[in-house]
Amino acid sequence: MIEARELTKRYGDKTAVDRLTFTVRPGLVTGFLGPNGAGKSTTMRMILGLDAPSSGTVTVNKRRYDRLAAPLREVGSLLDAKSVHGGRSVRQHLLGLARSNAIPRSQVDAVLDRVGLSEVANQRAKGLSLGMGQRLGIAAALLGDPEVLILDEPVNGLDTEGIRWIRALLKSLAVQGRTVFLSSHLMSEMELTADRLIVIGRGRLLADTDMREFIETHSQGTTLVRTADSEAERMRQLLERAGGTVRLDARGGWRVAGIPPATIGELAREHHVAVHELTPLFSSLEEIYTTMTRTSVEYRGSTQDTKELIP
Ligand code: ADP
């Protein structure tokens, strides 16, 4: 569990993180979302004791990071995959970390296997591709079998197969009851991976919510309606007469806004139109997020600010 309370970080007169209060719970994958410069990395650095808060607190399993006796065994993190001593081999890098955290050597081979790096274990870290380097960073995060995982942009540099792999890995770690906290600027990826969502902008909390609930609440509420071609025009007229806004959907059928699906079904029955498909359509996380960051009062700063905040 990660708990931030009124967490604040100022650099001179710039407030990077502004009174953030949130809880990241075990058993779930929680996504951390915000435009560039929103304060995600600064928040993660404070959780990991790499930056001191200007005010407020953040704890991992109820303790400050610097009070943890064996940090790697409680919190695994991936902040910058490039922060590896390039001259060492993949295995040496992990052995060094294991030794300094009293983690058994056997764990090194276990994590190498888990992240698919066994075959390159003796290669120098600096020769690794971006994707392999990312896997090594994830191996280091998993080394101490920690209860809490904090990953900053973990899918950076991974190919499609690698992205699928990490999605499955993170979900399985959450199912085991671990706390998984990750940031990503790839929203489609976040939508597929995270169960919960914490959204920040300009260092402030914009949303702390269940992913499905967030999408359902903020979706535009349109419905796809399909009938036989011969009845399509009549259906359109009925929908418009009932106050709906009707557009032709790219996949065929009508995309209807302004009338809930149940009412559409009733309307069709009343007028003896056979409905072949009636599907509520949700916006993607990306669509909602873009609208949110465009319209949020938080973002109506100067043009300069807006440029910085909209990705
Ligand atoms: P994100 O990870 O969401 O892109 P960051 O946490 O990196 O955002 O940055 C938040 C804000 O704090 C940015 O405006 C950034 O320029 C500023 N910032 C981050 N680190 C420093 C620092 N060491 N000194 C001054 N400003 C910083």
Side-chain angles (χ1 to χ4, degrees):
M1 175 130 79
I2 303 166
E3 292 173 286
R5 296 289 171 266
E6 297 281 314
L7 187 64
T8 301
K9 180 69 186 180
R10 280 183 288 271
Y11 293 108
D13 57 7
K14 162 124 207 149
T15 305
V17 173
D18 196 358
R19 287 168 293 145
L20 269 191
T21 294
F22 62 80
T23 302
V24 185
R25 293 190 175 77
L28 299 169
V29 177
T30 302
F32 195 28
L33 208 58
N36 284 335
K40 303 180 298 298
S41 299
T42 306
T43 304
M44 286 185 158
R45 291 173 59 80
M46 286 193 283
I47 299 172
L48 294 165
L50 297 167
D51 253 338
S54 306
S55 60
T57 57
V58 63
T59 58
V60 177
N61 295 338
K62 305 274 180 198
R63 275 175 300 155
R64 262 174 40 184
Y65 187 88
D66 58 7
R67 306 262 162 87
L68 299 175
L72 273 200
R73 293 163 69 170
E74 297 203 46
V75 192
S77 66
L78 171 71
L79 288 198
D80 180 1
K82 289 181 291 301
S83 62
V84 170
H85 190 297
R88 286 192 188 161
S89 76
V90 166
R91 182 179 277 112
Q92 279 168 342
H93 170 67
L94 294 175
L95 279 173
L97 287 175
R99 211 172 298 127
S100 56
N101 281 268
I103 293 166
R105 286 175 72 97
S106 57
Q107 259 300 99
V108 170
D109 286 316
V111 292
L112 282 172
D113 189 40
R114 183 138 198 209
V115 304
L117 287 182
S118 299
E119 282 177 21
V120 297
N122 296 319
Q123 267 186 32
R124 283 187 181 193
K126 73 174 166 200
L128 295 180
S129 66
L130 188 59
M132 294 254 194
Q134 203 70 0
R135 283 176 189 250
L136 178 56
I138 291 163
L142 295 176
L143 193 61
D145 197 20
E147 247 179 70
V148 177
L149 279 146
I150 298 176
L151 310 161
D152 199 4
E153 300 277 354
V155 301
N156 258 5
L158 295 181
D159 55 15
T160 314
E161 203 281 313
I163 291 176
R164 282 218 193 107
W165 166 76
I166 194 156
R167 189 188 306 150
L169 174 73
L170 297 181
K171 281 177 186 279
S172 71
L173 291 165
V175 167
Q176 291 167 356
R178 296 175 214 256
T179 303
V180 183
F181 191 41
L182 80 146
S183 74
S184 174
H185 69 284
L186 298 175
M187 260 164 285
S188 50
E189 186 45 40
M190 193 69 105
E191 185 173 348
L192 289 171
T193 311
D195 309 298
R196 276 197 79 81
L197 201 56
I198 293 176
V199 188
I200 65 169
R202 288 187 162 184
R204 297 206 190 129
L205 191 71
L206 294 181
D208 178 356
T209 170
D210 177 83
M211 174 73 80
R212 280 262 69 83
E213 196 180 299
F214 183 73
I215 288 177
E216 286 171 17
T217 310
H218 292 86
S219 280
Q220 298 300 327
T222 58
T223 307
L224 181 70
V225 184
R226 224 191 287 265
T227 62
D229 286 349
S230 56
E231 296 202 290
E233 183 50 31
R234 197 158 95 84
M235 189 73 220
R236 185 182 66 79
Q237 289 172 5
L238 289 172
L239 291 165
E240 283 185 344
R241 231 176 283 143
T245 308
V246 185
R247 281 189 294 127
L248 189 62
D249 188 80
R251 293 159 287 179
W254 302 117
R255 195 184 253 257
V256 187
I259 317 179
T263 311
I264 298 173
E266 301 283 349
L267 190 71
R269 187 183 59 170
E270 203 178 304
H271 293 85
H272 306 287
V273 177
V275 169
H276 293 186
E277 185 181 346
L278 186 63
T279 311
L281 301 174
F282 296 111
S283 307
S284 68
L285 176 61
E286 183 153 15
E287 287 164 343
I288 297 169
Y289 175 79
T290 307
T291 312
M292 192 173 187
T293 49
R294 285 227 178 96
T295 57
S296 165
V297 179
E298 303 274 24
Y299 291 82
R300 294 232 181 97
S302 65
T303 321
Q304 183 59 43
D305 281 341
T306 314
K307 265 193 201 136
E308 187 189 328
L309 288 161
I310 292 178

